[in-house]
Amino acid sequence: MYSIYFYRIFETQMEIDLALLERELPRSHSLSRSRFSRVKTKSILMDSPPLLVNLGSVSMDAGQEDSFQAQARIYDIGSISICLIFNESLKEKTFIEDTAMAFAGQKGLTDTFTKLLNSLEEILKPALGSLEIDSNFYEDYTIYQIKEAGQIADPVALLMGEKAAFSEQIRAQVMGNRLSYSQDDFALVTWDTALICDPEDPGDLRDLIEFANVQLLELRYYDSLLSKQMENMYDDIEQAGSRPAYSRVGRYRRITSTSMRFIADITEVTEKIDNLIKITEDIYYARVYQATLGVLRTDQWRKSVNRKLQVIQQNYSLLSNEVNIQHSNILEWIIIILIALEFALAILQFLR
C-alpha cells in the first residue's frame, strides 16, 4: 500500500480569524484544528494551529470513479493549503513509480485544484467575504508515502519524476537529505517532492513539510509585495521632487507616513511567519523540518525580505530628515519675516 499527497498552497492577501471560521462554517465539512499525534504535547508548539476543512472526494474527469480525497488547511497568516490524497486502490494494484510518473510535476491536476479553490472560496465567503486569491501564484509540493523501503526500486527517479541515468552528483544531492529515526523508517526531502517510509502513518512529518512550504510561500509573497512598495515609493519620491519646494513637505510627509505603516505591518506578519511553529524537544522532527526549510531555501527569501525592508527604512529616514530640514527652513524664514516686521513697525513708529 502507498499514498501520494499533492499540495498546492495559495495566498489570500489577508489575515484570517480562525475562531470566527470555526463558528461560522457548516459542520458538514468536518472542521478540526490540526494536531500532532505522535509527539509529546509540548514538543511542537503552534500559537494558532491551522483549521482543517474536509472537501470530500473528487475525480479527474466527469463520470470517473473518485480518484482523490481532498482537504484544505487554513492558516491565520493568510495561507490556504489544498491537498489531494491518492491512495492505492485495493481493487487494482499499481506500483507507486507508475502513479508518480503519471502525475510528475502535478501534471494534469491544475483544473482539479482550481475547482477546489473556487469551491473553498464559496464556502468561506459567508464568513470572510470575497477573497483575492491569485490561482497562478502558489507553492506546490508532493509527498510520496510508503510502508517499506522495498516498495520502490529507485527513490531518485521517483523524486525527480523521470526515469533517467542520473549522474552520481545528482544522486548524491538528492540522497543527501535522507533522515532516519529508526532502521525501519526514513524521510527524504527535495525542493518539490519528499519520500516518507514509515510502517505507521507519518502524518506529523507530512504536516511539518507542509508548514515549511507555507512559510516559503508567505516569504515569496511578501518579497513581491516589498518590491512593488519600493517601486511605488521611488515613483512618489520622484513626483514629489519635481514639485515646487513649498509643496514637497506635504508630499514627503505622506510618503513617510505610508512607509512607516507598511514597515510596521510587514514586520509584524514576518515575525508571525518565522514563529509559525516551534520544535522544542523532538530532535528527529526538528531535523526533518530544518532540512526541508534548507532545501526550499527559505533563508534566501527571508534575507531578501529583510534587505528590502532595510532599503525602505533607509528611504524613510532620509525623507524624514528632508522633512525636518524643510521645517527648519520654514521656521527660519518665519523668524526672519517676524524680525523684519518688528523692525518695520519700529521704523513706522519712529517716523510718526
Side-chain angles (χ1 to χ4, degrees):
M1 287 289 293
Y2 67 85
S3 300
I4 305 178
Y5 295 78
F6 301 97
Y7 296 88
R8 285 204 187 179
I9 305 165
F10 304 89
E11 168 60 38
T12 64
Q13 305 182 40
M14 63 182 290
E15 293 188 49
I16 299 175
D17 186 342
L18 299 183
L20 173 66
L21 286 183
E22 284 184 295
R23 293 193 303 268
E24 298 293 332
L25 292 186
R27 293 295 157 185
S28 57
H29 294 288
S30 305
L31 304 179
S32 63
R33 288 295 187 107
S34 297
R35 293 287 186 270
F36 294 97
S37 59
R38 292 175 60 183
V39 296
K40 296 178 182 179
T41 305
K42 296 182 179 179
S43 294
I44 302 178
L45 303 176
M46 294 191 75
D47 292 335
S48 181
L51 185 65
L52 184 64
V53 182
N54 180 27
L55 299 177
S57 302
V58 295
S59 59
M60 290 289 293
D61 298 304
Q64 282 189 346
E65 292 186 6
D66 293 333
S67 306
F68 302 94
Q69 292 295 314
Q71 63 183 30
R73 273 198 181 92
I74 304 169
Y75 294 79
D76 65 338
I77 56 177
S79 299
I80 289 178
S81 173
I82 296 179
C83 180
L84 290 173
I85 306 168
F86 177 90
N87 292 306
E88 179 195 24
S89 173
L90 293 174
K91 295 181 296 183
E92 185 179 345
K93 288 279 187 177
T94 57
F95 291 104
I96 187 171
E97 289 93 342
D98 295 335
T99 309
M101 297 305 165
F103 293 108
Q106 300 192 354
K107 180 174 56 180
L109 296 179
T110 295
D111 289 344
T112 303
F113 275 113
T114 300
K115 290 176 183 177
L116 287 170
L117 183 61
N118 293 336
S119 176
L120 185 62
E121 287 179 332
E122 291 300 316
I123 294 171
L124 300 178
K125 186 178 291 185
L128 300 180
S130 297
L131 299 175
E132 296 182 8
I133 301 177
D134 182 0
S135 60
N136 295 315
F137 183 86
Y138 59 85
E139 196 64 41
D140 61 340
Y141 204 86
T142 302
I143 298 178
Y144 303 103
Q145 180 179 308
I146 57 176
K147 293 186 177 296
E148 298 176 356
Q151 289 180 248
I152 54 171
D154 185 0
V156 175
L158 181 79
L159 293 169
M160 296 294 288
E162 60 177 323
K163 296 179 180 179
F166 297 105
S167 67
E168 290 301 320
Q169 292 88 346
I170 292 296
R171 288 188 173 277
Q173 185 175 356
V174 172
M175 298 299 292
N177 294 302
R178 188 182 189 276
L179 301 165
S180 296
Y181 183 77
S182 70
Q183 294 183 354
D184 297 327
D185 62 53
F186 66 83
L188 186 55
V189 295
T190 73
W191 69 279
D192 66 344
T193 56
L195 172 62
I196 301 176
C197 176
D198 199 316
E200 301 178 27
D201 181 28
D204 294 347
L205 282 179
R206 292 197 308 269
D207 291 350
L208 287 175
I209 293 172
E210 177 186 336
F211 297 158
N213 277 273
V214 168
Q215 288 177 290
L216 173 61
L217 176 86
E218 289 295 320
L219 289 171
R220 284 180 52 215
Y221 170 71
Y222 284 103
D223 181 79
S224 174
L225 197 63
L226 283 165
S227 295
K228 293 176 182 177
Q229 176 64 20
M230 288 173 61
E231 292 176 6
N232 293 335
M233 181 180 63
Y234 290 139
D235 289 341
D236 291 342
I237 292 173
E238 185 177 355
Q239 291 178 7
S242 64
R243 288 178 166 270
Y246 65 85
S247 66
R248 290 178 193 167
V249 176
R251 289 274 181 154
Y252 285 157
R253 190 184 293 113
R254 284 192 289 274
I255 296 171
T256 55
S257 178
T258 301
S259 298
M260 183 174 61
R261 289 195 301 270
F262 186 80
I263 291 170
D265 291 342
I266 296 295
T267 301
E268 180 183 3
V269 77
T270 51
E271 286 180 359
K272 286 185 177 181
I273 295 169
D274 289 337
N275 296 318
L276 176 66
I277 185 171
K278 299 184 183 71
I279 304 176
T280 59
E281 296 178 10
D282 196 294
I283 297 174
Y284 177 56
Y285 281 28
R287 288 175 63 199
V288 172
Y289 179 60
Q290 291 300 325
T292 306
L293 290 175
V295 170
L296 297 177
R297 299 177 181 174
T298 55
D299 278 347
Q300 293 185 15
W301 288 100
R302 188 177 290 105
K303 288 177 182 177
S304 178
V305 167
N306 291 336
R307 184 169 59 251
K308 290 175 182 178
L309 274 173
Q310 289 175 358
V311 171
I312 294 175
Q313 288 173 332
Q314 289 170 357
N315 280 278
Y316 166 78
S317 298
L318 290 173
L319 286 177
S320 295
N321 292 335
E322 182 67 22
V323 169
N324 291 334
I325 291 171
Q326 293 292 339
H327 280 159
S328 298
N329 290 339
I330 292 172
L331 288 174
E332 288 175 2
W333 276 107
I334 290 174
I335 292 171
I336 291 171
I337 292 170
L338 288 175
I339 293 172
L341 288 174
E342 189 173 343
F343 270 112
L345 290 173
I347 293 172
L348 287 175
Q349 289 178 355
F350 177 78
L351 292 176
R352 288 178 184 177

